Amino acid sequence: MHFAVIARIVGILLMVFSATMLIPAIISLLAADGAVMAFLIAFVLCFGCGGIVWLFVRRARSELNIRDGFLVVALFWTVLGCFGSLPFLLAEGLHLPLSDAVFESISGLTTTGATVITGLDELPVSILFYRQFLQWLGGIGIIVIAVAILPILGIGGMQLYRAETPGPVKDSKLTPRITGTAKALFLIYLYLTIACTAAYWLAGMSGFDALCHAFSTVAIGGFSTHDASLGYFDNSMILIIASVFMLLAGINFGVHFFAWRSRRFYHYLRDSETRFYLFAVLVSCVVIVSFLAYTKTYTVQESVLLGVFHTISIATTTGFAAADFAVWPAFVPVMLILLSFMGGCGGSTAGGMKVVRVMLITKQGIRELKQLIHPHAIIPLKVGNKRVDAKTVSAVWSFFAVYMFSFLLILLALMASNMDYTTAFSATSATLNNLGPGLGDVSAHYGDVSRSAKWVLCYAMLLGRLEIFTLLVLFTPAFWKH
Amino acid sequence: MHFAVIARIVGILLMVFSATMLIPAIISLLAADGAVMAFLIAFVLCFGCGGIVWLFVRRARSELNIRDGFLVVALFWTVLGCFGSLPFLLAEGLHLPLSDAVFESISGLTTTGATVITGLDELPVSILFYRQFLQWLGGIGIIVIAVAILPILGIGGMQLYRAETPGPVKDSKLTPRITGTAKALFLIYLYLTIACTAAYWLAGMSGFDALCHAFSTVAIGGFSTHDASLGYFDNSMILIIASVFMLLAGINFGVHFFAWRSRRFYHYLRDSETRFYLFAVLVSCVVIVSFLAYTKTYTVQESVLLGVFHTISIATTTGFAAADFAVWPAFVPVMLILLSFMGGCGGSTAGGMKVVRVMLITKQGIRELKQLIHPHAIIPLKVGNKRVDAKTVSAVWSFFAVYMFSFLLILLALMASNMDYTTAFSATSATLNNLGPGLGDVSAHYGDVSRSAKWVLCYAMLLGRLEIFTLLVLFTPAFWKH
Ligand SMILES: [K+]
Ligand SMILES: [K+]
């Protein structure tokens, strides 16, 4: 383990991250909302701590190995998650307790979008901006890590994207060095955000709301600047725009990269994961809309609009709401929450287990049925036109099992803290899948949850965002032995 | 497909099964409980239908292939499940509607033990006996099929028991022909039943209750002759006896066979599945007992007795109750129901996914963590001292995924029929795992569930008992093509 180099990276990261505090500080100054000192103190603390660490190890240089990679990725979210909580702790009239401040910060950075704050509409605008901006940063963080680093670490079968890049990507490698890749992905992310901001603004949002919600949409975060989320605007066009951009943000940014570079739209449809994703969302929309219309929860027209919007919002793990879906016939919220276990594509900002894994598991299930009927046949497992090697398949399976197991442990921990079943089930799903809103006591916000439960949920958000294994591997003795 | 031979087997099976009706008929005659005609008519119908089928195809002879095997196994439970419902349809003063009669019959034969009947204490004794006897028959049916047939079909990794029989079994094959195996297993099953009857009787049950509950215990069924289940007797010794025999019945009968034949107790502990099973039950007992005592739900002494009893009852998927555990702090029933997903060992009468599969998945998860740290190492997956081949592992994974997927589909189907979440979740678990009692509206019985939901639950019980794939494979076009 190269601790000095890792410390150097974390130090630099903190110093860069401290710049994040300056933008809301400026906004606070302009709006005179009284939060400027909170952001300046947070800036000094972040920059100072990062700088001190950096000073001590600034000369450290060596190649990082795979184990260092795990530690860097895990530290990215835990360290930034902790330092990101400073403005919530310090801001006048907010002064969240530690558990709440860390929860809000981790929820933003992991793009979960579960909030402990109520009365958003009365909050200082700088704090509102900061919350949305945290998600946006977390979003580009996970894209770069998922596209450029996780395939190298080989977590949960993500080597799929390395050795066996599916469909159109196969002939042309992503810019090989991580920095080059990161730059390309960042530009796509930026363009998407600009387009989304413009669309929201044209549909009638204020410039501030448009930018804030674009951050939230493209990052699949789900934080809003209003307690009523997107329902506040009461505007069908905004729901349609949100649906389109959530759907786009749920696609692998590597696929975006190749489709945009070659300017060929069909690249999307040639990628088997994207096809599976769009098909699954389509089928779910049809089921949910039909159910809403059939049970006369809404008129047919409203069922289509609200059904499609909420299906995309929850299936991609964004978590925006335009109506209180927790009070719809129980089938709908439960089916939606189950959908969030799949989430979006790998290499996107979405949470959940990722489409590519669910697709592989489905294919393997069908393959197994065929194998039972023809026990001596050799039936290969393919993604796109490429055969998937046994190691990758077994990594995906293990991911699935460990995901389920983590889910159960967190569920039981919450229930042991005396949470009721619906709340515990939905809170576990909503945090582990980086979804955000739940049902029961957490359908609107997480403010009323006990302090110990909040820490458990913070852990669940990190576990989900770090694809379980990145965090879990740190708890094994073998990781720390040489 | 050799339809004629399959029809001949089913015909013979029905004629043999019709004898089942004669024992309760005799009991009814002796007790003068008025149900004798129901059983005689059921006997005639079973024997007649079986006989007619047999007459047409009695000369059919040929070797069965694997696909025939699937069909025979699936028909065993579906055909007997339907014909077994006759006494419930016909009996005076009972006259269950078709959905209820089939539900009760399938519930018995699959050893689920979920009942739609209330007022058991007032029922004709012959009907009570028949319900318990159905479970006992279903129990020996699943043991023979699981030990002798499923390994040949290779369902969900059960080839483990064929190619790589773990631990002590490896050097000595089970009597190779199915009839020989069946006889040996039946004898063990019979001895266990006799011992259990004697123990219950000595502890204070009537001879009738002792026999009926021994049927239910050894078959991991869970039907009782009283609405209050084992709680009726208010006798700690009975709970202890039940715990011991449930625990024994949850062990692979192949392991019982070798341990008893060689009269070496340590054979049990040399089998890695049995070790894992006993360890998991022990840990769960400690957690549940501690929780009950800590929350002051009971005194420490009562917590130990009731905690251990219910943990074993639900973990082995028996489903006996001695208290209304649905009203305990929610953590306990939820943890117990989650335990039932593991169930007992393969080749036992227990339901659930089976210990051997959960053990393999756990080992694979740990292996994957090691693989992440040492990406180039070749880490074999072992059960006992034997390496598990890739085909078996992939079969187990597929089983796990398809099990989860079936669970979700059944859950959504129940919720679409307007069932509340707790009831739907627990009813799905309780039927798919062949457990029996649930929570919410199905904590005591399934009588109040809608008719359509009852059919869905019948399907779930069959799906669980047939290890999912045996039933699922019949729905694939490839199965029916040559
Ligand atoms: K989210
Ligand atoms: K049972």
Side-chain angles (χ1 to χ4, degrees), chain B residues 300-322:
Chain B
V300 172
Q301 208 190 327
E302 281 175 327
S303 296
V304 172
L305 180 68
L306 292 173
V308 169
F309 169 75
H310 283 95
T311 305
I312 295 179
S313 171
I314 308 295
T316 58
T317 75
T318 311
F320 276 142

Side-chain angles (χ1 to χ4, degrees), chain B residues 92-94 96 104 115-125 127-128 131 224-229 232 444-447:
Chain B
E92 293 288 329
L94 196 62
L96 292 184
E104 194 77 9
T115 186
V116 288
I117 303 174
T118 43
L120 292 174
D121 303 75
E122 272 76 53
L123 234 52
V125 288
I127 292 283
L128 287 177
R131 285 169 81 242
S224 172
T225 52
H226 304 284
D227 283 335
S229 189
Y232 170 87
H445 61 86
Y446 286 69

Side-chain angles (χ1 to χ4, degrees), chain B residues 87-157:
Chain B
F88 299 121
L89 282 168
L90 300 167
E92 293 288 329
L94 196 62
H95 284 309
L96 292 184
L98 184 67
S99 58
D100 290 42
V102 172
F103 184 99
E104 194 77 9
S105 164
I106 288 182
S107 174
L109 272 174
T110 58
T111 77
T112 306
T115 186
V116 288
I117 303 174
T118 43
L120 292 174
D121 303 75
E122 272 76 53
L123 234 52
V125 288
S126 56
I127 292 283
L128 287 177
F129 177 87
Y130 176 66
R131 285 169 81 242
Q132 308 296 116
F133 196 58
L134 274 182
Q135 298 179 99
W136 195 72
L137 285 177
I140 185 63
I142 192 59
I143 291 174
V144 171
I145 286 174
V147 174
I149 301 179
L150 293 189
I152 299 171
L153 302 184
I155 288 171

Side-chain angles (χ1 to χ4, degrees), chain A residues 355-388:
Chain A
V355 173
V356 66
R357 295 200 181 97
V358 174
M359 182 176 76
L360 238 154
I361 288 169
T362 311
K363 286 189 177 192
Q364 172 74 9
I366 294 168
R367 204 194 71 92
E368 192 60 31
L369 274 175
K370 287 188 194 149
Q371 189 79 75
L372 280 175
I373 301 166
H374 306 291
H376 302 298
I378 289 164
I379 307 165
L381 185 62
K382 286 182 176 180
V383 165
N385 304 316
K386 287 254 178 171
R387 204 167 150 163
V388 183

Side-chain angles (χ1 to χ4, degrees), chain A residues 225-280:
Chain A
T225 52
H226 304 285
D227 282 336
S229 189
L230 287 190
Y232 170 87
F233 301 99
D234 196 16
N235 179 329
S236 322
M237 189 42 86
I238 285 177
L239 298 189
I240 294 169
I241 293 168
S243 303
V244 170
F245 280 94
M246 291 188 291
L247 205 57
L248 284 175
I251 294 173
N252 187 338
F253 274 64
V255 174
H256 279 310
F257 176 70
F258 287 108
W260 290 22
R261 200 185 55 174
S262 64
R263 309 202 184 281
R264 285 193 183 140
F265 178 72
Y266 71 80
H267 263 178
Y268 286 114
L269 293 178
R270 276 184 62 193
D271 178 59
S272 55
E273 184 183 14
T274 311
R275 277 203 311 272
F276 193 97
Y277 164 68
L278 295 175
F279 182 72

Side-chain angles (χ1 to χ4, degrees), chain A residues 111-113 220-222 317-318 434-436:
Chain A
T111 80
T112 305
I220 307 207
T317 73
T318 311
N434 297 123
L435 164 61

